[in-house]
Amino acid sequence: MTTSPIVARRGRPGYDRDSMLEVVVAAFNERGYDATSLGVIADRLGLSKSAIYHHFASKEQMLEVALGKALDALEAVFDAPEATSGPVVSRIRYVVRGAVLVLCEQMPFVTLLLRLRGNTPIELEAMRRRREIDRKLGALFELSREEGTLRADMDPRIAERLTFGMVNSIVEWYRPDGPVSPEQLADSVLELVRTGLREPTSL
């Protein structure tokens, strides 16, 4: 049969790199990265270990690529022109809304990022990049306080932690197939940020 070799190379049901990574990340999130062996990944995929190497050189590369998907998307929000210029209040709105949308769109990958323990150089680098994102939001709240749009009794660093704490908690309960769309969720989070951190008539 001429089709059998092709089916064998593609596996069951057949994966490209992105679809394979989704299965891998689900395993990492369920079992933990350290506890997920290449054998577990091969079983989940229905592939031989050698077939996996056609797409990824190692388990470490799988982790690096997966974390990159989350971090690249978040960094793109904070590096966008809407986040780096214009009124500070508008910039805060843009990055908070954008972070929520990224989390909803890349939830398995962001979940993996948030659960890192820092046990490998790849994890440590990802955590460094995440801290830099946190720092950028903190800097925006600092500017907001300086211009009088962040309530005077709120420390910008606390504002940043409270905001990202609320956003990050979404991975624990939000379901993309539920009744609330990512856009509605982003609006709700932004409204809470507005009412909790603003001075009257600001944000």
Side-chain angles (χ1 to χ4, degrees), residues 41 75 118:
I41 292 170
E75 288 170 348

Side-chain angles (χ1 to χ4, degrees), residues 123-189:
E123 292 174 86
L124 290 172
E125 172 59 15
M127 293 169 73
R128 183 199 65 78
R129 290 174 66 183
R130 181 185 166 192
R131 286 193 299 270
E132 181 60 19
I133 293 169
D134 294 345
R135 187 199 64 78
K136 289 180 179 180
L137 181 59
L140 287 176
F141 281 129
E142 182 69 44
L143 290 173
S144 179
R145 186 171 69 172
E146 290 174 2
E147 74 172 17
T149 50
L150 178 67
R151 51 190 297 174
D153 60 346
M154 177 63 68
D155 181 277
R157 180 61 177 165
I158 294 176
E160 173 260 304
R161 289 181 175 178
L162 289 173
T163 301
F164 264 143
M166 176 170 54
V167 172
N168 293 342
S169 72
I170 292 171
V171 302
E172 304 299 334
W173 58 267
Y174 180 69
R175 296 294 176 265
D177 58 352
V180 179
S181 71
E183 292 76 15
Q184 291 171 322
L185 180 59
D187 288 343
S188 296
V189 170

Side-chain angles (χ1 to χ4, degrees), residues 36-176:
T36 305
S37 67
L38 192 61
V40 168
I41 292 170
D43 288 344
R44 290 280 185 106
L45 292 167
L47 298 172
S48 67
K49 293 180 183 179
S50 60
I52 294 174
Y53 289 129
H54 287 295
H55 296 280
F56 295 98
S58 63
K59 190 178 84 164
E60 290 77 14
Q61 188 187 40
M62 297 174 193
L63 177 66
E64 185 173 27
V65 173
L67 294 173
K69 286 179 72 68
L71 287 162
D72 290 350
L74 288 168
E75 288 170 348
V77 171
F78 280 81
D79 292 339
E82 296 89 341
T84 56
S85 61
V88 177
V89 169
S90 297
R91 292 158 67 180
I92 292 173
R93 289 174 181 164
Y94 179 84
V95 298
V96 171
R97 182 178 180 81
V100 173
L101 293 177
V102 166
L103 189 147
C104 292
E105 293 164 2
Q106 305 282 351
M107 185 169 291
F109 302 96
V110 177
T111 300
L112 181 64
L113 173 65
L114 295 177
R115 294 178 180 174
L116 291 182
R117 296 183 178 180
N119 292 336
T120 67
I122 291 172
E123 292 174 86
L124 290 172
E125 172 59 15
M127 293 169 73
R128 183 199 65 78
R129 290 174 66 183
R130 181 185 166 192
R131 286 193 299 270
E132 181 60 19
I133 293 169
D134 294 345
R135 187 199 64 78
K136 289 180 179 180
L137 181 59
L140 287 176
F141 281 129
E142 182 69 44
L143 290 173
S144 179
R145 186 171 69 172
E146 290 174 2
E147 74 172 17
T149 50
L150 178 67
R151 51 190 297 174
D153 60 346
M154 177 63 68
D155 181 277
R157 180 61 177 165
I158 294 176
E160 173 260 304
R161 289 181 175 178
L162 289 173
T163 301
F164 264 143
M166 176 170 54
V167 172
N168 293 342
S169 72
I170 292 171
V171 302
E172 304 299 334
W173 58 267
Y174 180 69
R175 296 294 176 265

Side-chain angles (χ1 to χ4, degrees), residues 11-29:
R12 299 188 304 269
Y15 296 94
D16 59 20
R17 203 169 194 249
D18 288 340
S19 60
M20 180 180 289
L21 192 63
E22 291 177 3
V23 176
V24 170
V25 170
F28 287 165
N29 285 334

